[in-house]
Amino acid sequence: GDRVVIYAPAYGKALSTVKTGNYNVGVDVTMTDGVLTGFGDTEVFTVIDNGDGSFSFAYEGQNLGMADSYASMNLGAVHDDWTLTDLGNGLYNVKNVGRGNYLEWYAQYSNWSTYNSSSAATDGQFQLSFWIVTGDIPTEPDPTDPVDPEPSEPTEPEAETAVYMTEAPADG
């Protein structure tokens, strides 16, 4: 299936497999000139068409789902089938089949969760979009990589620096 990023456009947050406590974190994403940026490997799910009108979202062989209780989501949880309701303009409600809860960016707590909301169609926290990932997944720059390449020619040696103390250091 397609590889997708699930995100809440009203908040610029993508659903991540990374958790803080019991809840999935949101990763800042930006849509510029029709291109979504800011996500990495942990925000890319593979869509599985279950053949019954529902879909599953897999990451590293485990589907995103819900347990029999609680509003949080886990990879490999029992209730891992989701239906999509097209709201128009590229927005969808994503509803868990087994539990009836809608996937949401829970803005008040800055994490992803689910909730059985009667206002899911009109509340931006529940109005989600899918970005289809093609090609390689973007990666963040490696902080250990040098920013400037090593010079290819020798440079002038740096001048020596001397430090002069105006007072003797205090004992202690």
Side-chain angles (χ1 to χ4, degrees), residues 55-144:
F55 298 89
S56 294
F57 304 102
Y59 178 79
E60 293 186 349
Q62 292 187 306
N63 294 345
L64 183 69
M66 297 180 69
D68 287 327
S69 58
Y70 303 108
S72 58
M73 297 168 289
N74 289 297
L75 293 172
V78 63
H79 300 288
D80 63 359
D81 296 342
W82 304 83
T83 58
L84 305 180
T85 301
D86 189 342
L87 303 174
N89 297 318
L91 299 173
Y92 296 86
N93 282 151
V94 181
K95 185 176 183 178
N96 187 274
V97 173
R99 294 282 308 281
N101 285 13
Y102 293 93
L103 181 58
E104 69 167 326
W105 168 250
Y106 199 178
Q108 179 180 350
Y109 293 107
S110 294
N111 62 40
W112 285 87
S113 184
T114 67
Y115 188 69
N116 190 351
S117 174
S118 60
S119 62
T122 57
D123 185 336
Q125 295 176 113
F126 299 92
Q127 296 175 337
L128 309 181
S129 289
F130 296 87
W131 173 256
I132 297 175
V133 178
T134 58
D136 294 333
I137 297 169
T139 57
E140 293 296 318
D142 183 344
T144 62

Side-chain angles (χ1 to χ4, degrees), residues 16-29:
S16 180
T17 58
V18 175
K19 309 260 294 193
T20 178
N22 293 317
Y23 295 94
N24 298 71
V25 301
V27 171
D28 291 333
V29 291

